[in-house]
């Protein structure tokens, strides 16, 4: 059972001296993870632009003139080509995003087919398609979707300053449906939207106090896109960002924390401190959904300097090992499961 986080304790965490906070985060990190391993995911936008939502940070909203080229749903062979390339470059998870408010019923069979085909390549699958109903969540889970990404982005209070076309409650409801369907949850936020420290605190409290904590928590730094209402927002200070990563690690000690969008605007030292503060997952490949990301080569260089290795443990190889050892994994918690796989 994970610790429940109240306002007082979370505020105290954020007020800690920087190095005390980092030290506590490192201790938690090392308790549950190998600090020299990193989970690697690759993103693909399977349907780009013309989104009816008004998220003020997003280049894909139809409300803003960002010069983005719209693309209908990609063909299956285009998706599989990108997935194979991601696998060959060392990714273990393939994350597919669609600029939708929600998927339509007519899209479901095709989405199921995509999931099945990408899994055949030997990759974990993740999708982010907007709001889901119970039936859709069950169908995606049934097709084998491992993760569903659905970010809360910021605090419930600040949410309506960023998005007016949906509510925080709707986001939480979709997360519930995803959890009930048996899929793993990927949910996090964006820093640098002009939020207060209190908003960061409230976001992390909401995520960490979910009935089961998200298995994956992406922490994005706003990528300022010309043409969006957020294009001139003030930068978040790098140390403030690192604090958020450390607090996330302490509050969700067993979750993978993804140093998500915004790495292109971070130097290597900032990224290294984020890894030290507990981030252990990244998006790999020179494109996020529509915005840029460091090249594979640049990341390989950074990994070399930091002696970081891709985390293949969560893939089938381990499941196979566990099976051969005849272990009853259903009785193991996450840490025991990982240890058993070593
Ligand atoms: N339309 C779906 C939705 O919003 O749930 C899925 C795709 S949406 C692009 C996925 C996530 O990308 C958003 O929830 C947001 O956290 C993140 N994102 C979008 N634009 C961003 C930006 N400019 N900088 C950082 N993160 C961004
Ligand atoms: C997440 O938290 N960040 C990713 C993924 N989940 C879907 C998306 C980042 C998008 C950055 C802007 C773009 O590429 O359009
Ligand atoms: Fe649409 Fe998602 Fe972008 Fe919001 S974040 S505008 S829902 S694609």
């Amino acid at each position: 059972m994970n610790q429940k986080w109240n306002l007082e304790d979370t505020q105290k965490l954020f007020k800690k001296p920087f190095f005390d906070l980092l030290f506590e985060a490192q201790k938690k990190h090392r308790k549950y993870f190998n600090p020299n391993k990193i989970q690697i995911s690759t993103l693909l936008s399977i349907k780009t632009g013309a989104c009816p939502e008004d998220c003020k940070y997003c280049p894909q909203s139809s409300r803003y003139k960002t010069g983005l080229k719209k693309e209908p749903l990609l063909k299956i062979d285009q998706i599989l080509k990108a997935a194979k390339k991601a696998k060959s470059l060392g990714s273990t998870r393939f994350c597919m995003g669609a600029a939708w408010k929600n998927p339509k019923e007519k899209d479901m069979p095709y989405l199921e087919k995509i999931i099945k085909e990408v899994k055949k390549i030997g990759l974990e699958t993740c999708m982010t398609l907007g709001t889901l109903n119970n039936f859709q969540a069950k169908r995606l889970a049934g097709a084998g979707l491992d993760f569903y990404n659905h970010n809360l982005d910021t605090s419930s209070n600040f949410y309506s300053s960023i998005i007016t076309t949906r509510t925080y409650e709707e986001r939480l409801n979709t997360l519930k449906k995803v959890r009930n369907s048996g899929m793993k949850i990927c949910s996090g936020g964006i820093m640098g939207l002009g939020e207060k420290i209190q908003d960061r605190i409230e976001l992390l409290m909401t995520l960490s106090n979910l009935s089961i904590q998200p298995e994956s928590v992406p922490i994005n730094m706003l990528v300022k896109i010309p043409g969006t209402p957020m294009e001139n927002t003030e930068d978040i200070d790098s140390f403030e960002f690192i604090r958020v990563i450390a607090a996330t690690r302490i509050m969700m000690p067993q979750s993978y924390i993804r140093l998500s969008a915004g790495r292109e605007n971070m130097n290597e030292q900032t990224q290294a401190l984020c890894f030290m503060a507990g981030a252990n997952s990244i998006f790999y490949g020179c494109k996020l959904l529509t915005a840029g990301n460091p090249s594979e080569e640049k990341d390989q260089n950074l990994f070399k300097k930091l002696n970081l290795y891709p985390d293949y443990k969560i893939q089938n190889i381990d499941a196979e090992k566990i099976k051969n050892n005849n272990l009853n994994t259903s009785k193991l918690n996450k840490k025991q499961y990982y240890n058993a796989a070593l």
Side-chain angles (χ1 to χ4, degrees):
M1 189 69 181
N2 283 305
Q3 179 187 343
K4 291 279 166 214
W5 283 89
N6 62 33
L7 188 57
E8 200 189 338
D9 291 343
T10 316
Q11 281 172 332
K12 267 195 206 147
L13 203 59
F14 271 77
K15 283 193 185 134
K16 275 194 175 229
F18 184 77
F19 288 116
D20 292 349
L21 181 68
L22 245 67
F23 183 59
E24 194 177 329
Q26 258 282 303
K27 277 194 290 185
K28 280 267 161 76
H29 191 46
R30 283 169 184 268
K31 189 167 170 198
Y32 295 105
F33 293 99
N34 179 334
N36 305 312
K37 288 203 171 167
I38 189 156
Q39 190 280 326
I40 291 181
S41 297
T42 295
L43 261 176
L44 177 72
S45 179
I46 60 170
K47 187 267 165 187
T48 306
C51 183
E53 303 273 67
D54 71 350
C55 315
K56 287 195 172 64
Y57 48 74
C58 187
Q60 305 203 64
S61 166
S62 62
R63 319 249 171 151
Y64 319 125
K65 288 201 172 61
T66 59
L68 186 71
K69 194 170 165 265
K70 294 179 262 181
E71 294 266 7
L73 250 181
L74 292 184
K75 301 258 173 334
I76 187 95
D77 49 328
Q78 293 172 289
I79 297 172
L80 296 181
K81 193 172 161 203
K84 282 177 193 152
K85 183 175 170 217
K87 166 124 198 212
S88 74
L89 291 171
S91 258
T92 59
R93 190 176 310 155
F94 197 60
C95 308
M96 294 160 272
W100 283 330
K101 182 175 179 66
N102 50 261
K104 306 274 175 307
E105 286 315 307
K106 69 171 171 41
D107 299 316
M108 292 310 293
Y110 185 52
L111 293 169
E112 289 168 320
K113 183 178 162 127
I114 296 171
I115 296 163
K116 287 181 186 150
E117 294 294 322
V118 172
K119 279 185 80 83
K120 273 191 209 153
I121 297 173
L123 285 161
E124 286 183 316
T125 49
C126 176
M127 280 184 171
T128 180
L129 314 166
T131 305
L132 295 182
N133 63 36
N134 267 322
F135 190 52
Q136 290 171 328
K138 288 202 176 106
R139 282 183 73 168
L140 296 171
L145 189 63
D146 298 295
F147 288 80
Y148 195 75
N149 167 253
H150 201 64
N151 290 341
L152 292 178
D153 283 340
T154 189
S155 69
S156 143
N157 281 325
F158 193 52
Y159 202 70
S160 58
S161 315
I162 306 296
I163 299 152
T164 69
T165 47
R166 59 173 184 248
T167 64
Y168 213 66
E169 217 40 50
E170 281 176 76
R171 279 318 247 193
L172 288 168
N173 277 338
T174 294
L175 287 180
K176 257 188 222 146
K177 290 167 196 162
V178 172
R179 184 53 86 204
N180 290 339
S181 76
M183 287 187 283
K184 290 182 209 135
I185 290 183
C186 173
S187 184
I190 310 180
M191 301 300 133
L193 298 171
E195 75 283 353
K196 300 207 167 51
I197 294 177
Q198 181 67 14
D199 296 306
R200 296 174 194 154
I201 288 173
E202 287 173 19
L203 167 69
L204 293 187
M205 279 173 60
T206 306
L207 288 169
S208 65
N209 291 335
L210 289 171
S211 58
I212 300 173
Q213 297 188 333
E215 286 78 2
S216 165
V217 183
I219 303 291
N220 298 276
M221 184 187 271
L222 175 71
V223 182
K224 294 187 221 174
I225 312 284
T228 62
M230 299 250 119
E231 67 174 314
N232 294 316
T233 309
E234 199 182 324
D235 282 343
I236 173 175
D237 177 80
S238 303
F239 294 108
E240 288 297 308
F241 185 82
I242 296 160
R243 263 181 207 279
V244 174
I245 300 271
T248 310
R249 169 52 67 223
I250 294 165
M251 294 170 76
M252 290 174 269
Q254 303 196 54
S255 308
Y256 277 82
I257 299 174
R258 181 167 312 126
L259 177 55
S260 205
R263 287 197 303 116
E264 235 192 353
N265 298 322
M266 285 176 212
N267 63 25
E268 293 188 333
Q269 292 78 359
T270 299
Q271 294 185 58
L273 276 173
C274 287
F275 296 137
M276 191 169 168
N280 59 348
S281 168
I282 55 157
F283 283 124
Y284 187 59
C286 59
K287 202 166 171 199
L288 292 163
L289 289 172
T290 68
N293 198 41
S295 67
E296 286 94 353
E297 200 190 353
K298 214 168 167 196
D299 277 342
Q300 286 294 344
N301 272 331
L302 180 60
F303 293 170
K304 238 183 240 163
K305 288 189 214 176
L306 301 177
N307 309 101
L308 279 177
Y309 297 94
D311 188 352
Y312 293 118
K313 220 166 14 153
I314 38 185
Q315 288 249 298
N316 311 341
I317 327 155
D318 292 0
E320 211 38 55
K321 262 196 190 170
I322 288 174
K323 222 167 51 199
N324 294 341
N325 286 338
N326 286 327
L327 285 171
N328 181 355
T329 52
S330 61
K331 292 218 167 68
L332 302 180
N333 66 28
K334 208 172 194 174
K335 189 180 174 206
Q336 291 165 327
Y337 177 93
Y338 287 151
N339 286 341
L342 288 172

